[in-house]
Amino acid sequence: MLEEEAMQVVESAQSPRDILTRSQLLQILNQCRDQGLLLLRSIPPNDPFEAEIHTWEPAYETLTDFLLAWEAYQNVKNSLNSPDMPPYLVNRTASITLAVYLLGKDGCNFFTSQLWKNNLTGQRREDFQLMALSMMPPQQQEAYRDWVLRLFDRDMPTCRNILELLIIPGLRIPDYIYGAKFVHDALLPMGVAERDIFWSGPHQIPHNHGAKWEGYASAVLEELELAEDDPWDSAPLLTAWATTTVNNDNRRRIRSALADWGCDKPSELLALLKTALQTNDPQMREDLFLAAYGVSCLVRPNETWLSLCEWIINSFFTPNAPYRTNNIIIRHCARSLVERCLVCGVLITEKFLIHLHKPYVDANELLPIDKECVNRINEYYGIEPATRDLAWYVVPQAIEPFFDTSHFARMANSTYRDPGE
């Protein structure tokens, strides 16, 4: 604004009026200029015989945004039914967000109010509420939890929008309510199929018949990076959930990133596995163990890895282990990680190693016969699902060695036979 206008604003801000003289006020403006808070611009006049035109403006755009937001907040805080936005806020995203934030601090729910409804509707209104929510104190944030949860699984674009505007901005803030743990708690109770339709698919799918997975959104999960000093319950936990994606290229990137992050952090890696492996998604479990095994190969494990090894054995290999599984990828990676630590000198007690090395299947336990399949045997076509070419050529080659006595004789003389037998 022009210097005369700036002086009038400063003079009107005095309470009571006329405490400072005009020259003193101008000196304050000059001090603000010297401290980098205000900018003084000199514009040459059109008439060379006239004096230069002086204008004042805030030195930082954020300061301008805050002042505009404060002005709007003061005007509407006692009347949230104003349908039209002040002209000075239009097209100023940061100012609108700050105004919504200031209202939220007072306990005003902008989203459910009628404020500026002629300018902000639908998705844009949600966006401003989400952006402002990320800046609010925890007490105010908590009041919106149910609202955010309802939006979270509405569809893929909305979910990605919440990640971009609310989750990611505070991901590395300690005790942030809407961090990775919020996402974990929201996704964990869901079934795989229920979760996949809005969480695991691509971020750009053309609209067809209004399904949850359709639409266009930001590639927030595909572009999420891990920092070396990230705590396990921030970006690493969110990245762990991103392994449920159908994009195999992104899965490989995530496994590599988690392996790099986990180097020399066995306690952080253990905490991540304990929480993330609660998932019911086998793909996510596989990728987490592939990454964990990768970590053990990138470094030389020491005694700090002992707790991780013991937890893996107790959780996957003991007779009543809570995560006992037949999944060969999980079992191979889990066992290989422990074996790697053992080779590198980690002293794992024998009582744990017994469970690790014991065969998973009891040799004396016979597998039950599927009577339903037996009753449907067809000598020509085979047995479902192994029929025709599979039954004629593939299956015989796979099962005939089990009935070949010479095959067992070769195994008995094999150099791989257990020397203790």
Side-chain angles (χ1 to χ4, degrees):
M1 61 179 67
L2 296 174
E3 185 170 80
E4 181 60 30
E5 295 175 340
M7 293 298 300
Q8 291 175 4
V9 170
V10 175
E11 285 177 336
S12 63
Q14 295 186 79
S15 179
R17 300 290 297 271
D18 302 326
I19 295 178
L20 301 176
T21 64
R22 195 176 181 86
S23 61
Q24 290 174 320
L25 294 175
L26 182 59
Q27 186 177 359
I28 292 175
L29 289 179
N30 289 329
Q31 287 291 327
C32 291
R33 176 203 61 196
D34 295 341
Q35 297 299 322
L37 297 176
L38 295 176
L39 293 178
L40 174 62
R41 300 184 186 275
S42 298
I43 304 174
N46 294 328
D47 188 339
F49 296 102
E50 293 183 357
E52 287 185 332
I53 300 172
H54 298 296
T55 64
W56 290 87
E57 62 184 89
Y60 303 100
E61 190 70 12
T62 52
L63 182 57
T64 303
D65 287 328
F66 179 78
L67 293 174
L68 293 176
W70 182 261
E71 176 70 17
Y73 160 71
Q74 292 292 337
N75 290 334
V76 302
K77 65 179 182 179
N78 296 320
S79 176
L80 296 178
N81 296 319
S82 177
D84 296 313
M85 181 183 294
Y88 56 81
L89 281 189
V90 177
N91 299 323
R92 296 196 71 100
T93 300
S95 296
I96 299 172
T97 304
L98 287 169
V100 176
Y101 158 73
L102 291 170
L103 291 168
K105 284 189 66 177
D106 283 354
C108 302
N109 190 322
F110 169 77
F111 184 76
T112 59
S113 72
Q114 299 298 310
L115 184 64
W116 304 334
K117 65 178 182 179
N118 292 342
N119 303 87
L120 300 175
T121 58
Q123 185 64 56
R124 288 197 69 205
R125 200 171 188 85
E126 285 181 4
D127 290 351
F128 282 113
Q129 183 65 77
L130 290 170
M131 287 187 288
L133 187 56
S134 68
M135 301 184 291
M136 291 182 186
Q139 296 82 358
Q140 278 78 23
Q141 287 180 335
E142 186 62 40
Y144 291 83
R145 180 183 290 270
D146 291 341
W147 177 71
V148 176
L149 284 172
R150 287 196 300 272
L151 293 181
F152 189 74
D153 62 352
R154 184 171 69 186
D155 52 45
M156 180 273 293
T158 303
C159 178
R160 295 285 185 124
N161 205 41
I162 291 174
L163 290 173
E164 181 181 16
L165 301 179
L166 179 62
I167 308 298
I168 302 296
L171 195 58
R172 294 173 172 90
I173 298 176
D175 301 322
Y176 181 59
I177 289 180
Y178 296 106
K181 193 62 168 59
F182 172 84
V183 176
H184 172 80
D185 292 338
L187 294 175
L188 190 62
M190 300 181 187
V192 176
E194 178 188 4
R195 183 171 56 238
D196 281 353
I197 59 178
F198 73 91
W199 176 262
S200 303
H203 66 282
Q204 292 188 337
I205 301 179
H207 291 283
N208 185 5
H209 58 284
K212 281 189 173 185
W213 55 83
E214 298 172 3
Y216 299 90
S218 300
V220 286
L221 293 176
E222 291 78 3
E223 296 173 356
L224 181 61
E225 301 289 340
L226 297 182
E228 183 179 352
D229 58 349
D230 276 336
W232 71 268
D233 57 352
S234 60
L237 180 58
L238 183 59
T239 304
W241 276 104
T243 59
T244 60
T245 177
V246 297
N247 185 332
N248 286 330
D249 288 338
N250 195 38
R251 286 178 64 194
R252 283 190 287 270
R253 180 192 69 83
I254 292 172
R255 290 196 298 262
S256 176
L258 284 172
D260 288 337
W261 166 82
C263 288
D264 297 322
K265 299 186 186 73
S267 60
E268 290 276 294
L269 184 60
L270 174 57
L272 176 63
L273 292 177
K274 282 183 175 180
T275 299
L277 287 176
Q278 297 173 33
T279 179
N280 55 8
D281 193 314
Q283 175 177 300
M284 180 175 169
R285 288 184 173 183
E286 291 173 7
D287 283 359
L288 286 173
F289 261 111
L290 282 165
Y293 177 39
V295 174
S296 70
C297 295
L298 290 173
V299 299
R300 185 174 182 84
N302 53 32
E303 291 303 317
T304 60
W305 286 69
L306 181 59
S307 296
L308 176 58
C309 293
E310 293 179 348
W311 179 82
I312 288 175
I313 295 172
N314 283 329
S315 300
F316 290 88
F317 293 96
T318 56
N320 298 315
Y323 297 127
R324 193 172 175 90
T325 177
N326 290 317
N327 187 306
I328 189 61
I329 297 177
I330 295 175
R331 289 183 56 77
H332 172 73
C333 291
R335 180 170 179 173
S336 298
L337 186 154
V338 178
E339 295 284 7
R340 164 71 177 166
C341 293
L342 195 62
V343 168
C344 291
V346 179
L347 300 177
I348 305 173
T349 58
E350 186 63 28
K351 69 175 183 179
F352 289 105
L353 294 178
I354 289 174
H355 298 298
L356 183 71
H357 296 148
K358 185 179 180 181
Y360 192 64
V361 178
D362 186 352
N364 297 320
E365 180 184 354
L366 297 177
L367 296 176
I369 295 177
D370 189 334
K371 295 181 180 180
E372 186 177 347
C373 285
V374 171
N375 292 331
R376 295 203 309 267
I377 292 177
N378 184 298
E379 294 183 3
Y380 180 75
Y381 289 103
I383 309 174
E384 291 285 351
T387 59
R388 296 182 181 273
D389 285 356
L390 282 175
W392 300 334
Y393 307 112
V394 179
V395 172
Q397 293 181 19
I399 66 174
E400 283 176 356
F402 287 100
F403 306 97
D404 183 356
T405 56
S406 62
H407 172 75
F408 288 104
R410 288 195 301 273
M411 288 184 62
N413 296 322
S414 170
T415 56
Y416 296 100
R417 184 167 58 91
D418 189 341
E421 294 181 353

